[in-house]
Amino acid sequence: MRSLWRDLSCPCSLVFSLSQRAEAAQREADALREQLTSSNQSLQLTTHIQTTPDTEQAVEAVSRSSLEAELGAKDRETVQLVEDIQRLQASLSKLRESSSTQITQLQLQLSTKTATLKQLEEKLQEHADYEEVKKELSILKSMEFGPSDSSEQVLSKPLEVLLLEKNRSLQSESSSLRIANTELSGSARRKGKEASVEETTTPSTPSLPPLLLPPSPQPRTPTDPLNTTTTNGTHPFTPTGIGQDFYSPHFPPVGGKMSLNALLQRQLMQTFYSKALQESNQGAALLFAPVHYTSTSTSGSSPVPLSASPLQSPAGPEVNGSGGAPSPSPSQSEGTGGSVSDWEDMDTSEIARQIKEQLIKHNIGQRVFGHYVLGLSQGSVSEILARPKPWSKLTIRGKEPFHKMRQFLSDEQNILALRSIQGRQRESPGQPLSHALQDVPKQRARSDQASRTGNITTRIRTPDCGSDDAIRSILEQAKRELHVQKSADFSHGPSPGGGLRGGGGGSDEAIRSILEQARREMEAQQAAVEPSLKASSSSSTSSSPSQRDLLVSHLAASFPAYTPLALSLKNTPTALPVSPSSPSTVLDFSSGVKREDRGVSVPDSLADGVPRLGRSSEESARPGGGHWREQWWSNMNPDPRRVTPTLGGEENHTQEDSKEALSLGSMCDGVGSRQKPWSKMTSRGLRMQLWLNGDLSQNTHIKPAHNQAEGTPCQTSASCSPAPAEGTPSQTSASYSPAPAEGTPSQTSASCSPPPESPLSSAEESLNGLGGDRDPLAPQAPSLEPPSGEPSGGESQPGTPLPLPGPITGLSIQETIAMSPELDTYVLTKKVKEVLTDNNLGQRLFGESILGLTQGSVSDLLARPKPWHKLSLKGREPFVRMQFWLQDPHKVEKLMDMKRLEKKAYLKRRHSSLSDGHSVDGGLAGPDFLQSASPQHQQPPQLYQKKVRVVLGPEEKEALKRAYQEKPYPSPKTIEELASQLNLKTSTVINWFHNYRSRIRRELFIEEIQAAGSAAAAKAGEGDSCDGTESDGTVEGRHRGPTGPEEHKEASEDQDMEVRVEAGVSGGSPVQRNSTTSGSAGPGSSSSSLFGPPEAGLSLSAPASHTSTPARNPRDNTLRKKKAANLNNIIHRLEKAAGKEDPSEWEF
DNA sequence: TCAGAGTCAATAGA
DNA sequence: TCTATTGACTCTGA
């Protein structure tokens, strides 16, 4: 600065002196002027005298001229000086400007350096903190670990070693506490139970045969007071294998099953046990998540500690450089963005907990999360989440996932993006991660890169990201093409990307080409993935239509006249190219209709029929074409529900921009260009189409409005009809125009112009409102109407509820389910069965149309509904759909219509086949024909051979059951032996065990339901306030009854315990059946005759199906008997085993 | 790798 | 032609 001023001083002084000179000159000039003036005056005076002689005049003249000359010179000098002054002033101002600039710059530099200085000072202060922390740590170490040891020794040991030691001691403490607790529980049980219990707790009482239960990890001697509990091992039906002690034979079954009290007590004990364990382990848990922790912790509780130990403070990394895990510098720790937080220690448990929470909340699978976010396999993710190692124990590499997880958690958009990915995964089950996993290394590299950039959205990829980039770029190009077209009609310059199709075809042509290229790209990739499928392809055309194309073509081809929109669709010319967008429009029909769920999604439905049919017939035989199209479409189609802003980014723009131009027209293209012959349609496709037609109308206006969030009701059917509807019917429509009856007014009105609905409607309200509470005059909005949304889904799934109106429009089915209150599955299925039976509607029709399930599944669901709380999110879906369906005032009419249409379609098909000379052979009539002709088999129907199903003979089954009773979870060796003995495939045996376990478990759920029902009925009988469930058949009634949802749930969970226990019994678990009930049967049977006659004792409540027509099928009774006998036999077997004192005899 | 959940689809039986 | 059963399969998580 000083130099600056020095520099500045020179020019300034110069200017100053010049100014002075200028002033002086000025003054001199003035003086001269005055002098001149006075001279002039004197001259005038002289002249005035006139008497002066001539010589004087001459002198005067001379002097005047000299004065004038001098004056002129002075004037010039003055002018010169003035100019100098001006020049100098200008240069001065310039100088000032530059100097001020310099000053500013220097000031900036100064502030920067000051800031740097400040930072450095802060760092110094931080370092001072470290020193303090180090000191504190030392103190803590000596306090925590060193009471007995010398403090020097403590301080010299690495923290990890100390923690391990501490952990060990805590473990032993926890063990002793557990033992004490078990004893305590034993006494509690003794309090609650009678003499029989005492018998079983006597040391002489033998435990159950080991073969019946997984071996206990820590076998105890028979004299051990804990003998009976510890021999249990993990209960096969204890979901977590935790709290096994409470499934011990100490809890005597009452009447063949555990009494509710006993179960309650058990649960309480378990809770206590868990708490005690947690408390006892807390110290250690805070520092470490012991490896054994999960095996001893409670089932429900997170096995990982939720908070970090103070010892895991920032000093951690510094202290324990041991274990090869030096504290990572920001750059070392895989460079995740290099945030300051990287310096910090992380609470791995907390991160894992939060991740789990988010995954559960958003229904994101570990597989997907691991793949897209961490670049790890599902197993690794599970491991990390369940047992996160303490930060200090992690190597740099081990810390990486936690960095990523924290990064992931830092922005909700990441989570949303992943959720949408997950949705896609579910949506296209045929192309799950297996495809994507081929690119794991590539993606991992990307993932790493993304980690560095800290942006999860760059990490998240669609499964087929192999070609993702290429496709994206192509789409981007398409977008640009569109822009070009929009903005400058005359400018046909080369596309920015170089112009794939520079030819003067115009943008349409260019886009068509681009998309075709995209198609080929994906096709090629798909072909690479599924070469085997490709080999099986038959005829092929240059382009195979997408599934959605087919779907839409179905619409037009089969039900052209069903709704005005159908006509319009058919008649709309192929205004725009790009068939791939057609599906999008289909999706848009049900803007909210989810596509996530594979089972019922349209693609899936189509996958069952259309695509394969297409391959086998007129369409291209591109194997798996549906998959890539699905994926592609999925990428391209803006799904309001699943395309999240983050995911969107560039893709979103592409979609929105494009596709704006191609929306409906492209659908029309799909319709117009790919009509499927009537005879090629599947029954499912027909039904879907029927529904879709109804939906189309609705959603056609729904879509533009995008959401009737404001409760805008579907307008009239007229409004639903798009303008082009007036177009000329196509040939297809003419030839296949359905009978008037098919387009019944009721149907049309129901599907197209549903009555207005309150904006207050929501999924929950709807769900809650099942049954009588709803005002029949105020039916739901279309979006809530299964009818509308339903199969509608046209696009996605039959029975998919449309998105909810209001701000939550676009709610996916999963979200709807997640929001759903607890439903009474029993009541729900009962009601559905009633409706179906009363109206003579088949399960197949209902299942395929409404639930998107097959008949068998429907039968299963209706006959054996699992309790709501036993169902996964996916498992709840059919029930939610049932709920929606039941709410539809037109549900019956619609199904009836569908039935009629299906019949008509069949007749038409048969007629056309006959006229073609192909007789529909008797074996393939009706749905059978449809099923055989459509799905999954690429051969023509006549060549199609059904997969031969293994049917086990009675002897085989009996043997398997016997084996099951001995070993519900047989070892591979046992399975092999069984398989060879029975001459079955090992897979068959494995599957049989799986199925049997699962089904026995479910049978027991039914008992639970029935028990709950009985209890509820009893309660209702006692009090005046009846729940109304049975009376009006609504779930709501039950839920709003005296037993509120919470209580209901609790009760259910209690029963759940019972169920598990019982399941364990049937599963050969160590749970011992009380001799009071089954003792009469006695352990008389020898091992060679384990199974008495099936009817030998039905003391166990039969797992009766609770259909509304229980005796409808006599076979039910037989089965029930069989099952009951089975369970009884197991009980007998257990009793028999229990009767053996020598454990060596337990072997069967 | 295994087990559970959910489902499909062949088959049996009414 | 319906429903029920059941072997097989996929997906998911531990």
Side-chain angles (χ1 to χ4, degrees):
Chain A
M1 291 296 283
R2 257 173 302 193
S3 62
L4 173 70
W5 287 117
R6 202 166 46 239
D7 294 342
L8 288 174
S9 64
C10 296
C12 283
S13 58
L14 179 63
V15 170
F16 185 71
S17 63
L18 285 172
S19 299
Q20 283 181 331
R21 281 177 58 199
E23 284 172 9
Q26 185 71 38
R27 278 195 299 272
E28 198 174 348
D30 290 342
L32 285 171
R33 275 197 199 95
E34 284 174 7
Q35 196 178 349
L36 181 61
T37 308
S38 62
S39 295
N40 284 338
Q41 284 174 352
S42 62
L43 186 61
Q44 285 171 2
L45 192 67
T46 305
T47 306
H48 187 65
I49 294 171
Q50 293 291 327
T51 58
T52 317
D54 290 342
T55 53
E56 285 181 356
Q57 286 181 349
V59 171
E60 282 176 5
V62 169
S63 81
R64 184 187 296 172
S65 64
S66 68
L67 278 174
E68 284 176 348
E70 191 177 355
L71 184 61
K74 289 294 178 186
D75 276 343
R76 280 194 296 276
E77 191 180 354
T78 302
V79 170
Q80 182 65 38
L81 285 170
V82 168
E83 285 175 359
D84 285 350
I85 288 170
Q86 287 174 346
R87 231 182 3 257
L88 285 169
Q89 280 177 341
S91 66
L92 177 62
S93 67
K94 277 183 188 173
L95 205 59
R96 275 183 184 148
E97 280 177 15
S98 66
S99 63
S100 69
T101 309
Q102 266 184 304
I103 290 169
T104 310
Q105 286 175 348
L106 287 167
Q107 280 175 340
L108 279 175
Q109 283 180 14
L110 182 64
S111 62
T112 309
K113 292 195 172 171
T114 308
T116 311
L117 190 63
K118 205 174 178 181
Q119 283 179 347
L120 287 170
E121 282 173 357
E122 283 173 1
K123 281 184 183 176
L124 275 174
Q125 283 178 352
E126 283 174 12
H127 190 65
D129 275 354
Y130 280 137
E131 293 301 325
E132 282 179 18
V133 169
K134 272 171 83 174
K135 280 180 196 166
E136 285 175 11
L137 180 65
S138 302
I139 295 167
L140 284 169
K141 274 169 80 177
S142 58
M143 285 172 63
E144 182 72 14
F145 304 108
S148 56
D149 302 341
S150 73
S151 67
E152 267 190 22
Q153 192 183 346
V154 166
L155 293 178
S156 64
K157 280 187 185 177
L159 181 62
E160 284 169 281
V161 175
L162 293 170
L163 291 173
L164 278 172
E165 287 171 359
K166 186 77 176 177
N167 190 31
R168 261 185 238 119
S169 71
L170 286 168
Q171 282 182 30
S172 63
E173 279 178 28
S174 115
S175 302
S176 37
L177 183 59
R178 187 175 47 183
I179 291 167
N181 181 57
T182 311
E183 286 170 352
L184 183 62
S185 68
S187 73
R189 284 197 297 272
R190 278 191 293 276
K191 272 187 186 174
K193 297 297 149 189
E194 276 75 31
S196 60
V197 181
E198 292 170 10
E199 286 177 17
T200 60
T201 53
T202 57
S204 61
T205 302
S207 293
L208 295 170
L211 258 186
L212 289 180
L213 23 131
S216 167
Q218 295 175 338
R220 296 170 198 242
T221 63
T223 55
D224 188 321
L226 300 174
N227 177 35
T228 50
T229 61
T230 53
T231 49
N232 290 336
T234 300
H235 191 291
F237 288 96
T238 304
T240 59
I242 289 162
Q244 60 226 26
D245 292 352
F246 299 97
Y247 290 100
S248 79
H250 281 303
F251 297 100
V254 175
K257 43 177 132 175
M258 314 307 281
S259 74
L260 193 61
N261 282 340
L263 291 167
L264 280 167
Q265 191 181 16
R266 243 181 256 184
Q267 194 158 25
L268 285 172
M269 292 305 295
Q270 189 178 12
T271 308
F272 170 76
Y273 170 82
S274 313
K275 268 192 178 174
L277 258 187
Q278 276 185 322
E279 285 166 8
S280 70
N281 278 338
Q282 198 163 22
L286 287 176
L287 303 174
F288 282 93
V291 174
H292 74 285
Y293 200 79
T294 46
S295 63
T296 55
S297 67
T298 106
S299 61
S301 65
S302 168
V304 296
L306 296 184
S307 60
S309 160
L311 295 183
Q312 272 187 293
S313 61
E318 210 176 298
V319 169
N320 60 67
S322 64
S327 67
S329 71
S331 58
Q332 282 174 320
S333 60
E334 60 86 46
T336 43
S339 66
V340 176
S341 60
D342 285 339
W343 295 65
E344 302 168 1
D345 214 352
M346 283 196 204
D347 185 349
T348 54
S349 306
E350 179 61 18
I351 290 173
R353 186 191 65 78
Q354 288 180 14
I355 288 287
K356 280 191 284 189
E357 195 177 295
Q358 291 301 320
L359 295 186
I360 290 168
K361 181 178 169 188
H362 295 280
N363 198 27
I364 297 168
Q366 289 181 346
R367 187 183 299 267
V368 166
F369 174 73
H371 177 69
Y372 288 99
V373 177
L374 303 183
L376 298 175
S377 65
Q378 177 271 320
S380 306
V381 174
S382 172
E383 192 71 18
I384 286 174
L385 294 183
R387 284 177 287 278
K389 286 184 181 175
W391 184 251
S392 59
K393 295 278 282 183
L394 291 168
T395 64
I396 291 177
R397 190 192 171 103
K399 287 169 180 171
E400 198 171 313
F402 290 96
H403 281 296
K404 291 176 179 172
M405 285 192 277
R406 190 169 61 177
Q407 199 86 30
F408 178 75
L409 287 170
S410 67
D411 187 353
E412 197 184 356
Q413 295 301 325
N414 295 337
I415 300 164
L416 296 175
L418 191 63
R419 186 176 67 174
S420 85
I421 294 285
Q422 174 75 75
R424 290 189 198 182
Q425 287 293 329
R426 296 200 171 105
E427 166 194 340
S428 49
Q431 189 186 16
L433 282 175
S434 57
H435 187 175
L437 290 175
Q438 293 180 341
D439 292 322
V440 160
K442 202 187 304 177
Q443 295 183 35
R444 186 165 298 180
R446 282 196 199 121
S447 187
D448 290 344
Q449 190 174 356
S451 298
R452 276 177 227 117
T453 61
N455 182 6
I456 186 64
T457 56
T458 62
R459 221 173 299 155
I460 293 176
R461 301 284 171 192
T462 50
D464 57 347
C465 68
S467 62
D468 208 18
D469 291 340
I471 292 159
R472 190 179 297 120
S473 71
I474 289 167
L475 291 174
E476 185 63 24
Q477 202 174 339
K479 184 184 81 174
R480 285 192 289 263
E481 282 285 345
L482 276 171
H483 277 306
V484 168
Q485 185 189 25
K486 274 186 194 171
S487 55
D489 285 345
F490 299 107
S491 76
H492 283 286
S495 66
L500 282 176
R501 302 285 186 272
S507 291
D508 278 3
E509 188 57 38
I511 293 165
R512 195 198 311 271
S513 304
I514 288 164
L515 290 167
E516 181 64 20
Q517 186 187 342
R519 184 188 63 74
R520 281 195 297 267
E521 171 90 17
M522 304 187 79
E523 201 170 1
Q525 192 184 19
Q526 184 70 25
V529 171
E530 302 179 19
S532 57
L533 284 175
K534 186 162 193 167
S536 68
S537 66
S538 53
S539 66
S540 72
T541 62
S542 61
S543 69
S544 66
S546 73
Q547 297 172 347
R548 291 172 184 80
D549 292 341
L550 293 171
L551 171 65
V552 178
S553 72
H554 286 195
L555 272 181
S558 309
F559 299 93
Y562 188 73
T563 66
L565 179 60
L567 283 174
S568 76
L569 291 176
K570 281 202 61 62
N571 299 327
T572 306
T574 309
L576 287 166
V578 195
S579 60
S581 63
S582 59
S584 75
T585 314
V586 176
L587 178 70
D588 290 346
F589 296 158
S590 47
S591 56
V593 173
K594 90 172 183 82
R595 300 173 64 252
E596 287 95 337
D597 301 309
R598 65 180 189 95
V600 271
S601 68
V602 156
D604 192 55
S605 300
L606 290 172
D608 284 344
V610 177
R612 280 172 283 210
L613 179 61
R615 280 195 293 272
S616 68
S617 52
E618 89 240 32
E619 298 297 352
S620 146
R622 270 178 233 294
H627 290 321
W628 65 255
R629 284 175 183 282
E630 179 94 352
Q631 202 62 50
W632 183 33
W633 184 87
S634 178
N635 283 337
M636 295 169 72
N637 180 59
D639 183 335
R641 288 160 290 108
R642 288 188 291 105
V643 178
T644 66
T646 39
L647 185 67
E650 170 182 324
E651 296 173 16
N652 250 357
H653 285 308
T654 304
Q655 295 162 353
E656 287 167 10
D657 292 344
S658 305
K659 296 293 120 201
E660 283 175 33
L662 301 177
S663 59
L664 188 61
S666 50
M667 173 187 75
C668 298
D669 169 65
V671 171
S673 61
R674 293 193 180 84
Q675 294 172 354
K676 202 159 186 77
W678 183 259
S679 59
K680 305 285 171 132
M681 293 207 45
T682 67
S683 62
R684 200 180 284 195
L686 295 177
R687 280 192 295 274
M688 237 161 36
Q689 170 146 4
L690 173 62
W691 282 109
L692 181 55
N693 283 338
D695 258 1
L696 272 172
S697 323
Q698 281 185 19
N699 291 285
T700 300
H701 65 79
I702 285 175
K703 185 58 186 175
H706 194 281
N707 37 23
Q708 312 171 311
E710 294 73 34
T712 312
C714 178
Q715 280 122 50
T716 63
S717 47
S719 72
C720 295
S721 331
E726 270 83 33
T728 325
S730 75
Q731 322 148 343
T732 319
S733 104
S735 47
Y736 293 123
S737 181
E742 294 165 7
T744 57
S746 73
Q747 169 72 28
T748 309
S749 69
S751 58
C752 199
S753 52
E757 118 119 349
S758 158
L760 294 176
S761 296
S762 71
E764 189 153 356
E765 182 182 324
S766 172
L767 288 163
N768 277 325
L770 170 68
D773 282 1
R774 203 167 256 285
D775 179 2
L777 295 177
Q780 312 92 316
S783 58
L784 287 177
E785 249 178 323
S788 45
E790 231 162 311
S792 82
E795 140 357 83
S796 57
Q797 3 205 309
T800 305
L802 277 178
L804 304 174
I808 46 176
T809 296
L811 215 58
S812 73
I813 180 71
Q814 287 179 342
E815 289 162 329
T816 307
I817 295 164
M819 288 173 57
S820 164
E822 183 177 333
L823 298 178
D824 190 324
T825 56
Y826 175 73
V827 173
L828 209 49
T829 51
K830 191 178 169 187
K831 189 93 180 166
V832 167
K833 279 184 287 189
E834 277 173 16
V835 175
L836 295 179
T837 308
D838 292 350
N839 297 282
N840 198 24
L841 296 167
Q843 290 178 348
R844 184 181 60 86
L845 184 69
F846 172 74
E848 293 180 1
S849 303
I850 308 301
L851 304 182
L853 299 176
T854 58
Q855 175 270 320
S857 301
V858 173
S859 172
D860 233 18
L861 273 181
L862 294 182
R864 283 174 288 272
K866 278 188 180 180
W868 180 258
H869 63 278
K870 287 271 186 282
L871 292 164
S872 70
L873 204 61
K874 187 174 187 193
R876 288 174 180 176
E877 184 178 331
F879 295 100
V880 173
R881 293 189 189 283
M882 285 183 214
Q883 174 88 318
F884 276 114
W885 181 74
L886 284 172
Q887 288 177 314
D888 179 18
H890 303 286
K891 54 183 175 293
V892 174
E893 296 98 295
K894 289 182 180 180
L895 275 188
M896 291 285 202
D897 284 341
M898 223 177 259
K899 199 174 174 181
R900 278 194 294 271
L901 279 175
E902 197 177 65
K903 190 176 176 183
K904 197 162 190 75
Y906 163 67
L907 292 174
K908 277 185 183 297
R909 208 173 31 248
R910 193 173 67 168
H911 178 264
S912 98
S913 298
L914 287 172
S915 62
D916 286 350
H918 302 92
S919 70
V920 175
D921 118 343
L924 294 175
D928 282 348
F929 171 84
L930 292 169
Q931 284 170 6
S932 63
S934 54
Q936 85 190 6
H937 303 282
Q938 295 176 25
Q939 297 91 347
Q942 60 269 24
L943 298 181
Y944 162 65
Q945 284 199 331
K946 280 184 183 177
K947 187 178 172 183
V948 178
R949 191 165 173 271
V950 174
V951 181
L952 301 177
E955 294 85 5
E956 290 164 330
K957 282 185 184 174
E958 195 62 28
L960 285 169
K961 283 176 187 171
R962 211 175 300 137
Y964 174 88
Q965 286 153 16
E966 294 178 6
K967 280 186 178 177
Y969 293 82
S971 65
K973 191 186 167 196
T974 309
I975 286 175
E976 278 185 23
E977 285 172 3
L978 275 171
S980 79
Q981 282 175 19
L982 299 172
N983 198 23
L984 296 170
K985 286 197 295 184
T986 51
S987 63
T988 300
V989 177
I990 290 171
N991 287 332
W992 187 90
F993 272 87
H994 269 297
N995 289 327
Y996 196 70
R997 280 193 299 261
S998 166
R999 282 164 185 154
I1000 279 196
R1001 200 175 304 124
R1002 201 170 49 171
E1003 293 289 346
L1004 293 161
F1005 288 153
I1006 297 164
E1007 283 189 54
E1008 174 195 15
I1009 292 173
Q1010 289 177 329
S1014 306
K1019 262 191 183 178
E1022 286 170 13
D1024 281 344
S1025 58
C1026 81
D1027 61 17
T1029 300
E1030 297 301 322
S1031 57
D1032 63 9
T1034 65
V1035 174
E1036 185 184 24
R1038 166 164 294 208
H1039 286 252
R1040 292 181 182 171
T1043 305
E1046 286 309 307
E1047 294 90 330
H1048 180 76
K1049 190 179 175 186
E1050 283 174 19
S1052 297
E1053 281 167 4
D1054 294 338
Q1055 290 143 14
D1056 181 23
M1057 292 275 290
E1058 179 176 352
V1059 165
R1060 288 177 192 164
V1061 170
E1062 290 180 339
V1065 170
S1066 59
S1069 83
V1071 177
Q1072 183 182 15
R1073 287 292 180 179
N1074 193 341
S1075 56
T1076 54
T1077 53
S1078 50
S1080 59
S1085 57
S1086 69
S1087 59
S1088 59
S1089 58
L1090 279 177
F1091 309 101
E1095 284 73 23
L1098 294 170
S1099 61
L1100 199 67
S1101 61
S1105 125
H1106 50 259
T1107 59
S1108 55
T1109 55
R1112 182 174 179 170
N1113 186 356
R1115 198 177 165 197
D1116 286 351
N1117 291 329
T1118 311
L1119 286 165
R1120 253 179 265 145
K1121 284 180 185 176
K1122 276 185 186 172
K1123 284 169 186 165
N1126 229 2
L1127 292 173
N1128 267 341
N1129 285 325
I1130 293 165
I1131 294 166
H1132 298 167
R1133 187 73 185 134
L1134 291 171
E1135 289 168 351
K1136 175 173 169 286
K1140 295 180 183 176
E1141 291 188 8
D1142 183 356
S1144 64
E1145 293 179 40
W1146 295 345
E1147 292 284 350
F1148 285 84

